[in-house]
């Protein structure tokens, strides 16, 4: 079996291929354009379409500014749409800062993009052109959504998902900084917050209806969800609108950016703690990953194979993932430029070292 790893960094896009998740061939930075303008830009979002295998990358274009590039041959060749793929309508008085997230549902060709400023776009042609999801943009709460330290953006998109095993092609869950978790059940025509139980320590009201800074939400195979908040790790075993419960006990800190759910075991997830909102370093200056196998009741270090010496790079919200295979692999990259891979429960093996800051990682079987 061959595995493909797509790595977005502060300076360009890299890929890695391997047969056993231990030995990898790393390529890049890939040349997205002949002028190398996009090739050296920051790539905050990558996606791999499960239907077609197309790779999408959010990069900076010399023509359009923030744009989308795509490859249909595992990264060998790249194309940019002939017209700007992501454009806010004139009446919004907004302009695109960057793409933060790509997500794919059950319908081939449909891609959703979460962007900054807080917005959701939908494509029906594989990511070559997008339309703004107006109901979320026009939501009456929008006036109260504000940028966090990393910007104000939709940074999680879960198509078809209500939570708690409830699914529908008309449903979707998104999470944003700041604003929190929102859901639709009517194909995006209306949206409601789903933040009950999630804290907002930076607001006067400890648990408001909305306004939380939810860094990442990960979907477990039974429909439950894990959320890494701006202080606080949570799980929802029911539809998210019914509430969340804290599950950070046993972690060295409740702050972080990334969380990854096991694709087949509902109670299993990985977490990547960060000291605090002020100190973006690993706890005790050690690269650490924590694993739960009981839905957050107990977290244990999963650090075999990781450096034992002091380490100062953290894992950002989209820089960790699973490949979803029957026997799944897990992957993460750090702001120190290192990327690691592991079999389920196995030791970590370094994929690449000394890359630019790793911003996002996606993996699949090919």
């Amino acid at each position: 079996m061959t595995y493909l790893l797509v790595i977005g960094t502060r300076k360009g896009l890299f890929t890695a291929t391997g047969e056993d998740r231990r030995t990898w061939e790393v390529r890049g930075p890939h040349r997205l354009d002949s002028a190398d303008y996009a090739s050296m830009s920051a790539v905050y979002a990558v996606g791999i379409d499960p239907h077609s295998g197309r790779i999408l990358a959010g990069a900076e274009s010399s023509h359009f500014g923030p744009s989308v590039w795509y490859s249909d041959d595992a990264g060998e060749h790249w194309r940019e749409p002939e017209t700007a793929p992501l454009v806010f309508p004139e009446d919004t008085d907004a302009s695109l800062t960057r793409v933060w997230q790509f997500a794919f549902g059950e319908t081939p060709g449909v891609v959703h993009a979460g962007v900054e400023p807080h917005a959701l776009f939908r494509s029906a042609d594989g990511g070559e052109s997008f339309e703004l999801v107006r109901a979320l943009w026009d939501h009456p709460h929008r006036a109260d959504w504000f940028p966090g330290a990393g910007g104000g953006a939709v940074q999680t998109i879960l198509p078809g998902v209500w939570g708690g095993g409830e699914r529908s092609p008309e449903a979707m869950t998104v999470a944003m900084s700041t604003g929190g978790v929102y859901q639709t059940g009517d194909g995006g025509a209306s949206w409601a917050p789903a933040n009950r139980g999630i804290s907002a320590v930076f607001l006067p009201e400890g648990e408001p209806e909305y306004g939380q800074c939810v860094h990442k939400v990960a979907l477990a195979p039974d429909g439950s969800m894990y959320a890494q908040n701006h202080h606080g790790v949570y799980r929802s075993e029911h539809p998210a609108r019914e509430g969340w419960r804290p599950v950070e006990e046993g972690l060295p800190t409740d702050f972080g950016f990334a969380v990854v759910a096991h694709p087949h075991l509902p109670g299993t997830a990985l977490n990547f703690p960060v000291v605090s909102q002020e100190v973006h370093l690993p706890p005790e200056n050690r690269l650490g990953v924590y694993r739960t196998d009981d839905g957050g009741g107990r977290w244990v270090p999963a650090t075999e194979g990781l450096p034992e010496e002091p380490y100062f790079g953290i894992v950002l919200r989209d820089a960790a993932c699973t490949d979803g295979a029957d026997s799944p692999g897990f992957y993460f990259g750090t702001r120190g430029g290192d990327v690691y891979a592991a079999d389920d429960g196995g030791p970590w093996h370094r994929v690449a070292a000394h890359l630019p800051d790793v911003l996002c990682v996606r993996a699949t079987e090919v």
Side-chain angles (χ1 to χ4, degrees), residues 225-288:
M225 290 185 280
Y226 297 87
Q228 173 63 66
N229 189 46
H230 188 105
H231 285 299
V233 182
Y234 298 87
R235 189 176 187 225
S236 174
E237 296 91 352
H238 311 288
R241 61 185 179 273
E242 297 181 15
W244 301 77
R245 64 178 178 89
V247 294
E248 68 262 16
E249 187 174 352
L251 291 169
T253 167
D254 66 357
F255 190 86
F257 293 101
V259 62
V260 176
H262 195 290
H264 311 306
L265 301 175
T268 299
L270 300 182
N271 187 270
F272 306 81
V274 176
V275 171
S276 69
Q277 62 184 8
E278 296 87 7
V279 181
H280 286 190
L281 293 171
E284 299 182 352
N285 296 333
R286 294 292 189 275
L287 182 56

Side-chain angles (χ1 to χ4, degrees), residues 125-184:
D125 57 11
E128 296 188 44
S129 63
F130 290 82
E131 292 186 1
L132 177 67
V133 177
R134 289 299 305 232
L136 186 61
W137 177 261
D138 293 332
H139 200 284
H141 293 173
R142 161 169 292 282
D144 296 323
W145 299 341
F146 61 91
V154 171
Q155 296 159 334
T156 294
I157 308 170
L158 300 173
V161 172
W162 276 112
E166 290 190 15
R167 299 187 66 94
S168 165
E170 298 298 303
M172 180 175 290
T173 297
V174 302
M176 63 183 79
S177 298
T178 60
V181 178
Y182 281 75
Q183 295 187 308
T184 180

